[in-house]
Amino acid sequence: MPVERQYNDSDSSGERAFEVRLSAALHDAGDTFEADRGALAAGGTVRGRRLRLWRRTTVLGGAAGVALAGVGGALLVPRIGSPSGQPPAAVSTTPRPAASPTARAVTSDDMISMLEKLLPEGKFAKAEGRGVDVSEPLAAPYAQVVFDDGHGPGAISVAVNRVLPGGSDARQAVQCPDKIYTPYDGCVTRHLPDASVVTVVKGYEYPDRRVDTKLWTANLVTPDGHHVSVSEWNAAAEKDAPISRAEPPLSVDQLTALAAAREWRGVVDAIPEDPRQTQEPPVAQGDGRPILKTLTSLVPKGLKVVAHGSDDDSEFSYVVVDDGKGRSLVQVNVQPDMSDVAKQLFGSGSETLPDGTRVAERKQPGEKGGAGVVMWTVDTLRTDGFRVVISAFNSGSQQSTATRTAPALTMKQLRAVALSPKWRS
């Protein structure tokens, strides 16, 4: 993913809820998800807003990528290895029909061959791929190779899928990730001449930078809903491989051109359309203002809000506060209809208030690699399934080193915020 915004998955109780729902989603999808970045990149989108909530910061091969060089003016994307320098052909904004079962199949060999032909001259190794499978519409076609242009091997992957034009998945695919959760060196979004949108980010495989493996990715979405995600690394594998070169193999322009290649759009057109995707209700931009406003209003006196999240998510937001003793990240999820996961979220250590509200309090280490980071959480569930879970950290970011011994909010203060009646409004 990825997508996508860039999204919070740090709360352990939220992760348990996510795992419950993800298990069901994987079953529905016929176990089509695989444990490699290429397969998940553009096609591993689990339907449902609550699922997207918990994988907010998960980088699925296309959720973070490369910074696009150059500012201002139209971006021309010459085809890699082509002397013509012609941009990709314009695409129609008319929705394309679902692929016919009799359409020519796109095999895994086809995907690998297309990727290799679109790359500059070099050597290839460890090629993998998956084609279009009409029986598994949620299994995204992908290809990945280890490419060596003579300056050291680097892994390159491409994954494609269909997204609903104008839908939340399309918007999230081309949003810059939030640096609070996903550190990167740069991110720029540009509109191409054919009205496609591409977001490129220069990032890292490990957000906490425990290993400086670079991950550069380009995400492209066309007006017709083609989603192409390209990722590359400066190592022969995304993880557990030594750094083999200073930068990933492809330049920013080459990476962008690879994502814009018209060959991938033909593959997307061959993917059977998921009927559930066409039923996605429109999501209004800016519908997260109430949650951010409420969270800000509940910050205890004496704490200054020095940073905050965007207002484009109706169920998640965060603020970074400082009392003069160091920054502290505070994040909140507000979710309706969560009664079905009550048993997973609230075990024997939780309490039940007189009005039936379930409350669980947890203190635990941080989960994103920041040295000395701790996470304090208060999780609440009303009798009608309305859930508010708030977490505070002793750092302004989960990936950075702790800036203080404890979060800026006490457990008592976190409890008061989570149980505030303001969330109902």
Side-chain angles (χ1 to χ4, degrees), residues 83-102:
S84 65
Q86 293 297 318
V91 297
S92 167
T93 57
T94 303
R96 297 180 183 271
S100 167
T102 60

Side-chain angles (χ1 to χ4, degrees), residues 51-139:
L51 272 181
R52 285 196 299 271
L53 177 67
W54 292 115
R55 59 184 179 84
R56 177 161 216 145
T57 57
T58 304
V59 181
L60 299 179
V66 274
L68 183 59
V71 292
L75 173 65
L76 299 180
V77 278
R79 177 175 173 177
I80 296 177
S82 170
S84 65
Q86 293 297 318
V91 297
S92 167
T93 57
T94 303
R96 297 180 183 271
S100 167
T102 60
R104 177 185 177 276
V106 178
T107 67
S108 58
D109 287 342
D110 291 334
M111 290 294 296
I112 294 169
S113 177
M114 280 187 281
L115 175 57
E116 292 182 349
K117 288 179 180 179
L118 288 167
L119 290 173
E121 184 176 351
K123 296 180 180 179
F124 303 98
K126 298 182 179 179
E128 299 179 30
R130 178 171 58 209
V132 175
D133 189 338
V134 296
S135 67
E136 295 182 320
L138 295 184

Side-chain angles (χ1 to χ4, degrees), residues 145-180:
V145 298
V146 175
F147 172 70
D148 192 339
D149 56 2
H151 301 286
I156 299 177
S157 72
V158 60
V160 302
N161 200 15
R162 177 185 289 111
V163 293
L164 186 66
S168 58
D169 286 342
R171 290 196 301 272
Q172 291 177 14
V174 292
Q175 287 179 342
C176 290
D178 192 323
K179 277 196 169 183
I180 290 292

Side-chain angles (χ1 to χ4, degrees), residues 180 291-310 317-324 326-331 390 396 404 408-409 417:
I180 290 292
I291 188 172
L292 178 57
K293 181 179 180 181
T294 300
L295 177 59
T296 302
S297 72
L298 292 172
V299 171
K301 293 182 178 180
L303 298 178
K304 181 181 179 181
V305 176
V306 295
H308 60 77
S310 64
S317 194
Y318 74 85
V319 293
V320 178
V321 299
D322 196 335
D323 57 1
R327 294 192 169 200
S328 179
L329 171 65
V330 182
Q331 62 189 30
I390 186 165
R404 49 192 300 140
L409 277 74
V417 172

